[in-house]
Amino acid sequence: MSKAVLVDISKCIGCKGCQVACKQWNDLPAAKTSFSNDLGNPSDGSGYTWTHVRFRTVENGDEVKYRFAKHQCFHCLEPACVSACFARALQKSPEGPVVYYPHLCVGCRYCMLACPFSVPKYEWEKTFPLISKCQFCFDPDGKYDRMRHGMKPACVSTCPTGALQYGERGELLVQAWNKINSNTKYVKHVYGEKEAGGTSWLYISDVPFETFGFRTDVTTRPLPEYTESYMRMTPVVALSWGALLTGMFLYTKRRNEIAREQHDQKPGL
Amino acid sequence: MTAKKNWTFKMTPVRKVLIGLAAICLVVVGYRLAFGLGNATNLNDQWPWGLWIGFDVLTGVALAGGGYSTALIVHILHRDQFKPIARSAMLTSLLGYLLVMGGLFLDIGQWFNFWRPFVSWGYHSVLFEVFWCVSLYTLIQVLEFSEIATEKIMKPWHCKIKKLMPVLLIIGVLLPTLHQSSLGGLYLIEVGKLHPLWWSMLLPPFFLMSSFFVGPAMISVETSLAGKAYNHQVPLSVMRGLIKISGTMMLIYLALKIGDLIYRDAFKWVFSGTLEGNMFLLEIVAGVIIPIIICFSSLSSTRKGLVTFGALTVFGVILNRMNVVFTGMSKSLGGNYFPSMMEWVVSIGLVSIGVLAYMFIVENFGILEKHHDHQVLTN
Ligand code: SF4
Ligand code: SF4
């Protein structure tokens, strides 16, 4: 079974501890402070900020709620980014994480377009920029690896309120549904259970997921299926079309030759 | 025969301008390679693909489709009446592809790593197919062109290349068929992101069909330009016959498109008055419906009619690709993108280089019928 994290948005206090822990563990440079209408800072992820906390105010009549949601790569079970990468620079590991191998990357940025959650970012100001995204604290080279040492991801270890829980995906799903069913405050939806065919990051919340710009119209069919059904046809199409072309070439050539011969012969007859 | 060996390139004011544009383009290309994409372009995390991919690559490949559709008609189906246009169509296509390769190269961040997908096979990616087919096809086209080139230089090779031609031609039709549709296939994964007016499981056949019918349209525009410049007129009947093939394909395309919209319940968007709806209407009415009317009416029996047909169809296909890359994606991507000065300069410069190369080759090799005949006579 693959590893996963369950996020309970109602428990997050917006301390941004996870954001800082991620930067520290992964040696990511600080981003320039920028103010926007919400207190998230920076207000979106970037090539140097793999996880960021989104701040939102939810008004419902007299009641005002402040809610915060951490956003990072969802580590899809069947990742669109992996199926889009033509250089195998993104690969799904059996443990769960979707890992980026920079030395293979060409920098075409197709993965950015393919990801349904707009996760991969680019190091725009560099001469030779790379893609960057959360690696789930999994590093095949070892340096930034936590997962294979049995440690939780840096963000999860840091979270002071237990809003982030690390474990087996199947078990976390059961837990998530138990929580939702035993408490009416929750939206009846585990975000990530079915989205894009299922993801390794699961969210439950007491305010609508749209609040945080989480797309709720993502198809539940794994995205790679759309392109792979097309790609599977290629060899067959190539072979039969090639054969057909050769056939037509020979046939029409012969036909023209016969026509010409007849044409040439006629006057002589 | 000896006189033909001299290389000529007449200087005219237009050519001076083109050379100027090409030179500025090369400077910017140097800048981009040295300082990175972020500095040269307005691309950003929301808009990772911009003018270079949208115009130079996606549109360029479609417009260069004239090569394979003529190769199919003339050399595979042996419709000899279309021979007069075969060489110039294939030349345009070759140049088009070389520019596409150039555009693609400029657009990748790790450009020194461009060869990677040749060894690290992400075979499940549609881009993988595009990459392989476009590179191989460019190579094939260079070989095909060497049949023409060896008429003038390196003559001993001519016979050998000639023997190879049937194989080259067949592969040269096969590959574009695959990657023209794959370019549409690239956007299959944008399900839920690309506006329903354009996203469809039929995107690959749509891209394929439009690249096929834009071929003759390009040729009619091109021959009218070349006709003026080089006093080389392709017989009207030939052009008309070619355009009929185009028009028939357009009819099927239109029917499929409408059927598909109704099937996916997306037809309601067509007259929704939104930006997407209007752009779609413009694309279909100006770029498909009006050309069909011209094609099947008496309008296509005049040169003016043919050129209008060509211009509108080319416009329609450009707009279609732009709509897929920009209009259709803008809602889901959000943010802002407008190509930077440098992006424009490079795109315009690449086209200028193509035009210059076309003129040079036409003037020095047997491309247009008259030259060709002349050569046959002197041989
Ligand atoms: S969220 Fe996006 S980047 Fe992360 S695994 Fe899924 S498709 Fe890939
Ligand atoms: S940018 Fe790199 S990781 Fe992303 S699809 Fe292209 S080659 Fe793969």
Side-chain angles (χ1 to χ4, degrees), chain A residues 107-124:
Chain A
C108 68
R109 311 180 299 288
Y110 187 35
C111 50
M112 300 174 73
L113 276 167
C115 171
F117 307 108
S118 313
V119 168
K121 298 285 189 277
Y122 206 51
E123 303 171 334
W124 289 104

PDB file of all heavy atoms in Angstrom, chain A residues 107-124:
ATOM      1  N   GLY A 107      12.689  20.475 -19.852  1.00  0.00           N
ATOM      2  CA  GLY A 107      12.146  21.807 -19.595  1.00  0.00           C
ATOM      3  C   GLY A 107      11.048  22.218 -20.558  1.00  0.00           C
ATOM      4  O   GLY A 107      10.902  23.387 -20.892  1.00  0.00           O
ATOM      5  N   CYS A 108      10.253  21.228 -21.006  1.00  0.00           N
ATOM      6  CA  CYS A 108       9.196  21.559 -21.975  1.00  0.00           C
ATOM      7  C   CYS A 108       7.946  22.099 -21.283  1.00  0.00           C
ATOM      8  O   CYS A 108       7.092  22.705 -21.913  1.00  0.00           O
ATOM      9  CB  CYS A 108       8.814  20.322 -22.773  1.00  0.00           C
ATOM     10  SG  CYS A 108       7.974  19.082 -21.768  1.00  0.00           S
ATOM     11  N   ARG A 109       7.804  21.846 -20.008  1.00  0.00           N
ATOM     12  CA  ARG A 109       6.702  22.363 -19.199  1.00  0.00           C
ATOM     13  C   ARG A 109       5.337  21.773 -19.535  1.00  0.00           C
ATOM     14  O   ARG A 109       4.305  22.324 -19.177  1.00  0.00           O
ATOM     15  CB  ARG A 109       6.658  23.901 -19.276  1.00  0.00           C
ATOM     16  CG  ARG A 109       8.017  24.518 -19.037  1.00  0.00           C
ATOM     17  CD  ARG A 109       8.025  25.996 -19.107  1.00  0.00           C
ATOM     18  NE  ARG A 109       7.626  26.535 -20.376  1.00  0.00           N
ATOM     19  CZ  ARG A 109       8.355  26.485 -21.490  1.00  0.00           C
ATOM     20  NH1 ARG A 109       9.537  25.908 -21.469  1.00  0.00           N
ATOM     21  NH2 ARG A 109       7.906  26.998 -22.596  1.00  0.00           N
ATOM     22  N   TYR A 110       5.344  20.643 -20.215  1.00  0.00           N
ATOM     23  CA  TYR A 110       4.070  19.989 -20.517  1.00  0.00           C
ATOM     24  C   TYR A 110       3.424  19.468 -19.234  1.00  0.00           C
ATOM     25  O   TYR A 110       2.214  19.449 -19.096  1.00  0.00           O
ATOM     26  CB  TYR A 110       4.307  18.860 -21.523  1.00  0.00           C
ATOM     27  CG  TYR A 110       3.065  18.191 -22.061  1.00  0.00           C
ATOM     28  CD1 TYR A 110       1.897  18.925 -22.293  1.00  0.00           C
ATOM     29  CD2 TYR A 110       3.052  16.832 -22.364  1.00  0.00           C
ATOM     30  CE1 TYR A 110       0.764  18.315 -22.805  1.00  0.00           C
ATOM     31  CE2 TYR A 110       1.923  16.219 -22.879  1.00  0.00           C
ATOM     32  CZ  TYR A 110       0.782  16.959 -23.091  1.00  0.00           C
ATOM     33  OH  TYR A 110      -0.336  16.343 -23.593  1.00  0.00           O
ATOM     34  N   CYS A 111       4.270  19.070 -18.279  1.00  0.00           N
ATOM     35  CA  CYS A 111       3.739  18.565 -17.009  1.00  0.00           C
ATOM     36  C   CYS A 111       2.907  19.635 -16.297  1.00  0.00           C
ATOM     37  O   CYS A 111       1.903  19.345 -15.666  1.00  0.00           O
ATOM     38  CB  CYS A 111       4.865  18.090 -16.109  1.00  0.00           C
ATOM     39  SG  CYS A 111       6.194  19.292 -15.926  1.00  0.00           S
ATOM     40  N   MET A 112       3.339  20.907 -16.443  1.00  0.00           N
ATOM     41  CA  MET A 112       2.602  21.984 -15.779  1.00  0.00           C
ATOM     42  C   MET A 112       1.197  22.093 -16.344  1.00  0.00           C
ATOM     43  O   MET A 112       0.235  22.353 -15.626  1.00  0.00           O
ATOM     44  CB  MET A 112       3.333  23.317 -15.974  1.00  0.00           C
ATOM     45  CG  MET A 112       4.741  23.323 -15.421  1.00  0.00           C
ATOM     46  SD  MET A 112       5.632  24.839 -15.807  1.00  0.00           S
ATOM     47  CE  MET A 112       4.837  26.019 -14.725  1.00  0.00           C
ATOM     48  N   LEU A 113       1.108  21.911 -17.654  1.00  0.00           N
ATOM     49  CA  LEU A 113      -0.206  22.000 -18.284  1.00  0.00           C
ATOM     50  C   LEU A 113      -1.050  20.771 -17.989  1.00  0.00           C
ATOM     51  O   LEU A 113      -2.261  20.826 -17.954  1.00  0.00           O
ATOM     52  CB  LEU A 113      -0.040  22.129 -19.799  1.00  0.00           C
ATOM     53  CG  LEU A 113       0.207  23.543 -20.297  1.00  0.00           C
ATOM     54  CD1 LEU A 113       0.668  23.507 -21.731  1.00  0.00           C
ATOM     55  CD2 LEU A 113      -1.048  24.383 -20.160  1.00  0.00           C
ATOM     56  N   ALA A 114      -0.371  19.645 -17.808  1.00  0.00           N
ATOM     57  CA  ALA A 114      -1.108  18.397 -17.645  1.00  0.00           C
ATOM     58  C   ALA A 114      -1.705  18.264 -16.244  1.00  0.00           C
ATOM     59  O   ALA A 114      -2.789  17.721 -16.085  1.00  0.00           O
ATOM     60  CB  ALA A 114      -0.185  17.214 -17.925  1.00  0.00           C
ATOM     61  N   CYS A 115      -1.019  18.750 -15.233  1.00  0.00           N
ATOM     62  CA  CYS A 115      -1.471  18.556 -13.855  1.00  0.00           C
ATOM     63  C   CYS A 115      -2.820  19.226 -13.617  1.00  0.00           C
ATOM     64  O   CYS A 115      -2.980  20.412 -13.853  1.00  0.00           O
ATOM     65  CB  CYS A 115      -0.442  19.125 -12.882  1.00  0.00           C
ATOM     66  SG  CYS A 115      -1.053  19.164 -11.182  1.00  0.00           S
ATOM     67  N   PRO A 116      -3.800  18.457 -13.158  1.00  0.00           N
ATOM     68  CA  PRO A 116      -5.134  19.041 -12.964  1.00  0.00           C
ATOM     69  C   PRO A 116      -5.167  20.003 -11.778  1.00  0.00           C
ATOM     70  O   PRO A 116      -6.129  20.756 -11.626  1.00  0.00           O
ATOM     71  CB  PRO A 116      -6.016  17.821 -12.702  1.00  0.00           C
ATOM     72  CG  PRO A 116      -5.089  16.782 -12.183  1.00  0.00           C
ATOM     73  CD  PRO A 116      -3.766  17.025 -12.844  1.00  0.00           C
ATOM     74  N   PHE A 117      -4.151  19.974 -10.924  1.00  0.00           N
ATOM     75  CA  PHE A 117      -4.156  20.839  -9.742  1.00  0.00           C
ATOM     76  C   PHE A 117      -3.156  21.984  -9.854  1.00  0.00           C
ATOM     77  O   PHE A 117      -2.851  22.649  -8.856  1.00  0.00           O
ATOM     78  CB  PHE A 117      -3.850  19.998  -8.490  1.00  0.00           C
ATOM     79  CG  PHE A 117      -4.754  18.808  -8.345  1.00  0.00           C
ATOM     80  CD1 PHE A 117      -4.280  17.522  -8.567  1.00  0.00           C
ATOM     81  CD2 PHE A 117      -6.086  18.962  -7.990  1.00  0.00           C
ATOM     82  CE1 PHE A 117      -5.100  16.411  -8.443  1.00  0.00           C
ATOM     83  CE2 PHE A 117      -6.926  17.862  -7.866  1.00  0.00           C
ATOM     84  CZ  PHE A 117      -6.431  16.582  -8.091  1.00  0.00           C
ATOM     85  N   SER A 118      -2.634  22.217 -11.030  1.00  0.00           N
ATOM     86  CA  SER A 118      -1.665  23.296 -11.279  1.00  0.00           C
ATOM     87  C   SER A 118      -0.520  23.281 -10.285  1.00  0.00           C
ATOM     88  O   SER A 118      -0.172  24.308  -9.710  1.00  0.00           O
ATOM     89  CB  SER A 118      -2.330  24.674 -11.226  1.00  0.00           C
ATOM     90  OG  SER A 118      -3.496  24.677 -11.976  1.00  0.00           O
ATOM     91  N   VAL A 119       0.057  22.120 -10.069  1.00  0.00           N
ATOM     92  CA  VAL A 119       1.109  22.012  -9.065  1.00  0.00           C
ATOM     93  C   VAL A 119       2.525  22.335  -9.562  1.00  0.00           C
ATOM     94  O   VAL A 119       3.178  23.211  -8.989  1.00  0.00           O
ATOM     95  CB  VAL A 119       1.086  20.627  -8.382  1.00  0.00           C
ATOM     96  CG1 VAL A 119       2.339  20.395  -7.566  1.00  0.00           C
ATOM     97  CG2 VAL A 119      -0.144  20.511  -7.508  1.00  0.00           C
ATOM     98  N   PRO A 120       3.011  21.683 -10.607  1.00  0.00           N
ATOM     99  CA  PRO A 120       4.417  21.917 -10.953  1.00  0.00           C
ATOM    100  C   PRO A 120       4.669  23.390 -11.274  1.00  0.00           C
ATOM    101  O   PRO A 120       3.859  24.044 -11.926  1.00  0.00           O
ATOM    102  CB  PRO A 120       4.624  21.057 -12.209  1.00  0.00           C
ATOM    103  CG  PRO A 120       3.545  20.035 -12.159  1.00  0.00           C
ATOM    104  CD  PRO A 120       2.385  20.721 -11.516  1.00  0.00           C
ATOM    105  N   LYS A 121       5.771  23.905 -10.765  1.00  0.00           N
ATOM    106  CA  LYS A 121       6.143  25.295 -11.023  1.00  0.00           C
ATOM    107  C   LYS A 121       7.508  25.298 -11.685  1.00  0.00           C
ATOM    108  O   LYS A 121       8.177  24.270 -11.769  1.00  0.00           O
ATOM    109  CB  LYS A 121       6.178  26.072  -9.699  1.00  0.00           C
ATOM    110  CG  LYS A 121       4.833  26.121  -8.992  1.00  0.00           C
ATOM    111  CD  LYS A 121       3.885  27.079  -9.672  1.00  0.00           C
ATOM    112  CE  LYS A 121       2.604  27.326  -8.890  1.00  0.00           C
ATOM    113  NZ  LYS A 121       1.576  26.316  -9.079  1.00  0.00           N
ATOM    114  N   TYR A 122       7.939  26.469 -12.120  1.00  0.00           N
ATOM    115  CA  TYR A 122       9.149  26.553 -12.920  1.00  0.00           C
ATOM    116  C   TYR A 122      10.060  27.638 -12.367  1.00  0.00           C
ATOM    117  O   TYR A 122       9.587  28.646 -11.867  1.00  0.00           O
ATOM    118  CB  TYR A 122       8.743  26.897 -14.358  1.00  0.00           C
ATOM    119  CG  TYR A 122       9.708  26.437 -15.420  1.00  0.00           C
ATOM    120  CD1 TYR A 122      10.162  25.129 -15.463  1.00  0.00           C
ATOM    121  CD2 TYR A 122      10.135  27.316 -16.396  1.00  0.00           C
ATOM    122  CE1 TYR A 122      11.020  24.711 -16.463  1.00  0.00           C
ATOM    123  CE2 TYR A 122      10.993  26.904 -17.410  1.00  0.00           C
ATOM    124  CZ  TYR A 122      11.430  25.597 -17.432  1.00  0.00           C
ATOM    125  OH  TYR A 122      12.269  25.186 -18.422  1.00  0.00           O
ATOM    126  N   GLU A 123      11.350  27.408 -12.486  1.00  0.00           N
ATOM    127  CA  GLU A 123      12.308  28.410 -11.969  1.00  0.00           C
ATOM    128  C   GLU A 123      12.576  29.450 -13.057  1.00  0.00           C
ATOM    129  O   GLU A 123      13.625  29.457 -13.691  1.00  0.00           O
ATOM    130  CB  GLU A 123      13.605  27.721 -11.561  1.00  0.00           C
ATOM    131  CG  GLU A 123      13.395  26.634 -10.523  1.00  0.00           C
ATOM    132  CD  GLU A 123      14.648  25.796 -10.276  1.00  0.00           C
ATOM    133  OE1 GLU A 123      15.498  25.697 -11.176  1.00  0.00           O
ATOM    134  OE2 GLU A 123      14.766  25.244  -9.176  1.00  0.00           O
ATOM    135  N   TRP A 124      11.614  30.320 -13.262  1.00  0.00           N
ATOM    136  CA  TRP A 124      11.620  31.199 -14.437  1.00  0.00           C
ATOM    137  C   TRP A 124      12.860  32.063 -14.575  1.00  0.00           C
ATOM    138  O   TRP A 124      13.298  32.357 -15.673  1.00  0.00           O
ATOM    139  CB  TRP A 124      10.370  32.078 -14.461  1.00  0.00           C
ATOM    140  CG  TRP A 124       9.162  31.281 -14.780  1.00  0.00           C
ATOM    141  CD1 TRP A 124       8.197  30.865 -13.899  1.00  0.00           C
ATOM    142  CD2 TRP A 124       8.788  30.741 -16.049  1.00  0.00           C
ATOM    143  NE1 TRP A 124       7.253  30.105 -14.560  1.00  0.00           N
ATOM    144  CE2 TRP A 124       7.592  30.019 -15.874  1.00  0.00           C
ATOM    145  CE3 TRP A 124       9.349  30.791 -17.330  1.00  0.00           C
ATOM    146  CZ2 TRP A 124       6.946  29.360 -16.917  1.00  0.00           C
ATOM    147  CZ3 TRP A 124       8.713  30.142 -18.371  1.00  0.00           C
ATOM    148  CH2 TRP A 124       7.530  29.442 -18.157  1.00  0.00           C
TER     149      TRP A 124
END
